[in-house]
Amino acid sequence: MRYRVPLASPMSQSVSDSQSLPRPVRIAGTGSYVPEHVMTNHDLEKMVETSDEWITTRTGIRERRIAKEGEFTSHIASEAARKALEMAGITGSDVDLLIVATITPDTLTPATACYVQQHIGATHAVAFDISAACSGFLYAMEIARHAIGAGVYQNALIIGAEKLSAFVNWKDRNTCVLFGDGAGAAVLTPSTNGCGRILSTTLGTDGSQVELLNIPGGGSACPASPCGAPEQSATLAMQGREVFKHAVNAMRAAANRAVELAGLSITEIDLLIPHQANLRIIDAILERIDLDREKVFINLDKYGNTSAAAVAIALDEANRKGLIQPGNYVLLVAFGAGLTWAGAVVEW
Ligand code: UT7
């Protein structure tokens, strides 16, 4: 029997919108990293009752990366961070705000951001984690851009990083085929020369749906010790079909809202980078918004769902492939446990 998180309240949906700031903020560099080890669908066939055919047709995922022993979320995050810093032309010691979005921290406390601070020498940075599941990277972007926009910080490093392999029940075919490890990062700075800025963001939360997707054990509700929570309670549990419906609706709405707040129409978007959970979710969103399929960046076939890292890895890969050029409008959308969702439009 799994421990079930009690439902605290009825519907509690809230949405927060914001537009370009008086002191505009741009993305000055991106980076990403995935562990070397590739786990294919065929590898999973040997572990649970599944098939490459089922996983590919139901999700679009073909393989995922798995961190090696001793490689923690902070290590994965730091590799991505180094690449983002290099692209931005700054070093760790130039960073004054460091936010890691993760649901798979190295330890419950201190924050994974504190380990990353050490690994990359961000000795002048205020560092902390946020937990907003797959929307975490865009939540971090929103916090960082307001902190920079207010004139308090200069160089923010935001990272979405996960070692989900440590929190997956490898005996549960409903979930273990879906997730992978990885990290993506971005450096945010003031947009002084008028080139590039984050035009809009929209964030949403619906705490009435906490039961749909969670890791119920390991927190104060069901501590891992000393009472000894059942082993499986510290692994991901998901009501897939329900989450699917919410994901489509929330990301469609977030996409439209972010575009509207940016003062654009959807046809002006050059590239959509959606959360990489399931190809069928992305297809369902595309059926509901007026955007050509070739304007969508997809890499979930290679990495599966990397939660907070997914949008960040995809953004970096698209950037390094030259798919994003100065002046382009990039639409980012995410959805995850909470429920949380987010959208943002960035003028590159
Ligand atoms: O990142 C946060 C957001 N997460 C998501 O957005 C994930 C959202 N959900 C999904 O992507 C999909 O719901 C899943 C991929 C998780 C599942 O796909 P589905 O089409 O909703 O399948 P289902 O859960 O309705 O299951 C259909 C059948 C079931 O068998 P029966 O009851 O029809 O006999 C499952 O037991 O597929 C079975 N099944 C599998 N079969 C082979 C479930 N997992 C597997 C598997 N291999 N790995």
Side-chain angles (χ1 to χ4, degrees):
M1 260 275 289
R2 295 190 66 98
Y3 175 84
R4 290 172 73 80
V5 173
L7 271 180
S9 62
M11 279 296 283
S12 53
Q13 190 175 113
S14 64
V15 174
S16 150
D17 295 332
S18 70
Q19 293 173 298
S20 190
L21 306 173
R23 187 195 197 206
V25 174
R26 75 184 182 105
I27 296 177
T30 60
S32 61
Y33 169 80
V34 289
E36 263 173 47
H37 178 65
V38 176
M39 182 186 279
T40 66
N41 291 349
H42 294 295
D43 293 330
L44 282 160
E45 285 174 350
K46 295 171 201 141
M47 297 162 64
V48 285
E49 199 184 325
T50 190
S51 65
D52 173 53
E53 199 264 334
W54 190 95
I55 303 170
T56 309
T57 53
R58 304 306 286 177
T59 71
I61 299 166
R62 294 183 183 278
E63 55 190 45
R64 68 286 295 140
R65 299 301 180 97
I66 305 294
K68 59 179 183 248
E69 215 183 313
E71 188 175 30
F72 307 142
T73 299
S74 67
H75 301 124
I76 299 170
S78 299
E79 292 297 328
R82 287 189 188 100
K83 293 180 189 169
L85 292 170
E86 190 185 358
M87 188 186 285
I90 63 171
T91 65
S93 63
D94 296 317
V95 175
D96 48 12
L97 179 63
L98 196 176
I99 308 175
V100 175
T102 187
I103 54 165
T104 55
D106 286 19
T107 50
L108 276 182
T109 193
T112 299
C114 298
Y115 299 105
V116 174
Q117 188 207 43
Q118 291 300 298
H119 298 330
I120 65 167
T123 43
H124 300 113
V126 170
F128 59 91
D129 288 0
I130 61 157
S131 175
C134 310
S135 311
F137 182 71
L138 295 184
Y139 271 53
M141 181 189 284
E142 176 68 343
I143 296 166
R145 88 176 179 108
H146 280 279
I148 295 171
V152 181
Y153 296 93
Q154 194 68 21
N155 295 314
L157 175 61
I158 57 168
I159 310 170
E162 305 287 7
K163 183 179 175 178
L164 285 154
S165 59
F167 294 88
V168 159
N169 175 359
W170 290 104
K171 292 177 185 150
D172 177 14
R173 70 174 184 174
N174 291 297
T175 51
C176 77
V177 303
L178 304 173
F179 299 99
D181 302 335
V187 172
L188 269 52
T189 61
S191 177
T192 43
N193 56 4
C195 102
R197 68 206 153 118
I198 298 166
L199 291 178
S200 67
T201 50
T202 178
L203 307 183
T205 307
D206 182 357
S208 71
Q209 304 294 330
V210 287
E211 259 197 283
L212 292 185
L213 178 51
N214 57 39
I215 300 175
S220 63
C222 184
S225 64
C227 74
E231 194 194 317
Q232 315 254 303
S233 74
T235 57
L236 270 160
M238 179 167 67
Q239 296 175 35
R241 244 182 251 186
E242 278 307 304
V243 172
F244 189 110
K245 285 183 234 161
H246 284 284
V248 173
N249 286 333
M251 282 196 278
R252 177 200 51 79
N256 286 335
R257 185 68 184 139
V259 168
E260 183 188 344
L261 288 165
L264 299 171
S265 75
I266 194 90
T267 51
E268 291 176 273
I269 294 299
D270 296 292
L271 191 67
L272 167 64
I273 299 184
H275 177 47
Q276 309 282 320
N278 187 324
L279 195 54
R280 289 190 295 133
I281 292 177
I282 295 172
D283 285 339
I285 294 168
L286 287 180
E287 278 169 21
R288 291 161 175 80
I289 63 174
D290 188 17
L291 194 74
D292 297 340
R293 204 169 204 288
E294 59 267 26
K295 288 186 172 180
V296 185
F297 188 82
I298 294 164
N299 63 3
L300 61 82
D301 51 318
K302 294 189 293 179
Y303 308 132
N305 183 348
T306 56
S307 190
V311 165
I313 296 172
L315 177 65
D316 179 54
E317 286 198 346
N319 190 19
R320 284 173 194 267
K321 283 185 171 159
L323 299 176
I324 312 175
Q325 294 299 320
N328 280 174
Y329 294 121
V330 183
L331 172 59
L332 309 164
V333 285
F335 173 86
L339 300 173
T340 59
W341 58 92
V345 174
V346 181
E347 182 186 12
W348 210 254

